Amino acid sequence: MSVGVARRLKRWLYLGHRWLGIVGCLFFAMWFLSGMVMMYVGFPSLGPAERRAALPDLAFARVVVSPDQAMAAAGLTHYPRELRLSMLDDEPVYRLVDWKGPRQTISAVTARAITHITADQAFAVARHHPAAVEPRLLGSVDRDQWSVTARFDADRPLYLIDLGDAAGTELYVSSRSGEVVLDTTRSERLWNWLGAIPHWIYPTVLRQDAPLWRQVVLWISGVLMLVAVSGLWIGVLRARLRRRYASGRVTPYRGWMAWHHIAGLIGGVAVVTWMLSGWLSLDPLAVFGRRSAMPDALQRYAGHTEPTIRVVLPGRERPGIVEVRFVWVGGAALMILISRDGTPCVVDPLSGGSRTLSAERLVEAAARLLPNHKITLQQRLDQPDAYWYSHHQQRVLPVLRLGFDDAAQSWVHLDPATGDILGWSDRRTRARRWLFNALHSFDFPLLLTHRPAWDAIVIALSLIGLMISVSGVVIGWRRLRR
């Protein structure tokens, strides 16, 4: 490469970083500030504990319809992916999730299909919530900032109910099933306007069009990733660690330019890795697509496909039991009673006696998931490790991990108490764990086991990134004024 060409390329490197950085530093500052908020306040969602809290005790005495009759009323020709019994206000109902069709709700009293509930019924559902003080119906919502994603489409429109408590809790109740599908608090709503919404570029008007939102975020983050890379490159070119500038300085700049240069040298690598991992989180190259458990594999694991299960429900009330799940594991029928605190009790569906699943039985059932491949890994985890840990989501422990010798190197994680498949991963998703979770959220095992260290490191790097961004904004503003 000739000297002239090298000089022109270097000039374009400087000009590109300068002018793209003027706008880019505003985004960078927004991301660093909002990222620190997201360390402690996540986007509103309804966790399992919150969902159970809103359920009243199951009225077993009112159950007239059997699970078999409920499946027949739903028109199922095979056992559903999910079958559970819970309450819709004061009426026990079956909730059925089929493999491809829509979710259905069947009355356990009359076997009628419930496809719509009134505002009064939604209000009655909300009154069972432990935080309900003076509930009031705010109206019907088709889509808003907190219910913008497609996962709520099957439940729309949603009834929005203010519980009148000190936390400002608002519930979203499905008008189709009567289930509480989301809750938010005043604090969550406030902090998310400073956290997840700017960080994810998440305004409703954009996020409601998922493909458009994805392209917008990919292009913005992709271009600004190049800005970060060019800035790091320029910073290294202009730094002198051995043959210093005048007065022993490592940078030729002064004032805000010096702050920008030095902060970039210190935190530039972290900024680049954050940008790269954030960009990869959207899987732009379609290489990290999560592998979901296939219906045929799950049905093999269950060992039963007919829409039948013989059950004798408890003949008396069971205080504290809010839900019952009816499942098959390796050809054995199980009834799982779920208490309000989430503790499962696995019983025989006919005798009601306690059932314990042996590891051997679970391994035998799991072998059917991939019948043409062998199980080469078998671990019981009583403590979290690099691939099964709690950070922004609670993981069940202990857990049984099984690995297969298929080309994807599949792993499944099983709950040894209930037999539930808690996770299914492969080589690609485990690579994503390091390229996104580790690089973007710093989910390194050593830091997570010494939590104050994680907070200190992430906040320190974020503040350095903020200094890079703010100094860049000041420099850009001054240049524009000139």
Side-chain angles (χ1 to χ4, degrees), residues 268-322:
V269 173
V271 173
V272 170
T273 55
W274 266 330
M275 290 301 302
L276 174 62
S277 57
W279 187 71
L280 288 175
S281 70
L282 293 171
D283 197 11
L285 305 177
V287 295
F288 298 118
R290 293 188 177 184
R291 177 180 178 179
S292 58
M294 298 172 289
D296 54 347
L298 292 180
Q299 289 173 339
R300 288 194 297 269
Y301 176 75
H304 182 87
T305 57
E306 297 299 316
T308 58
I309 184 169
R310 296 180 60 195
V311 172
V312 176
L313 291 171
R316 56 185 178 81
E317 302 304 328
R318 298 282 297 268
I321 299 299
V322 298

Side-chain angles (χ1 to χ4, degrees), residues 24-175:
C25 280
L26 292 171
F27 279 96
F28 283 123
M30 174 189 73
W31 280 327
F32 287 119
L33 284 170
S34 58
M36 286 189 283
V37 173
M38 290 180 66
M39 290 171 63
Y40 305 103
V41 183
F43 196 75
S45 63
L46 187 75
E50 295 169 310
R51 184 182 67 83
R52 291 190 301 268
L55 292 174
D57 288 359
L58 257 170
F60 287 104
R62 295 204 61 201
V63 178
V64 176
V65 178
S66 69
D68 283 8
Q69 292 170 323
M71 287 185 279
L76 299 184
T77 59
H78 47 261
Y79 204 81
R81 181 169 188 155
E82 183 178 304
L83 174 59
R84 51 193 171 91
L85 175 67
S86 61
M87 297 295 290
L88 173 55
D89 186 21
D90 60 352
E91 180 180 11
V93 295
Y94 288 99
R95 310 284 192 184
L96 302 96
V97 179
D98 203 2
W99 297 98
K100 293 183 179 180
R103 292 177 291 170
Q104 298 188 66
T105 302
I106 303 295
S107 169
V109 180
T110 64
R112 77 185 190 284
I114 298 173
T115 58
H116 177 76
I117 67 164
T118 65
D120 289 339
Q121 287 175 300
F123 187 78
V125 168
R127 292 186 64 180
H128 290 287
H129 197 283
V133 178
E134 294 182 3
R136 60 190 180 94
L137 180 67
L138 299 180
S140 178
V141 175
D142 184 63
R143 190 186 305 269
D144 69 0
Q145 183 63 64
W146 318 115
S147 61
V148 66
T149 57
R151 66 189 180 93
F152 296 104
D153 288 351
D155 298 298
R156 305 185 199 278
L158 307 169
Y159 291 113
L160 181 59
I161 300 171
D162 182 353
L163 296 185
D165 61 333
T169 305
E170 293 179 358
L171 296 187
Y172 291 73
V173 181
S174 170
S175 65

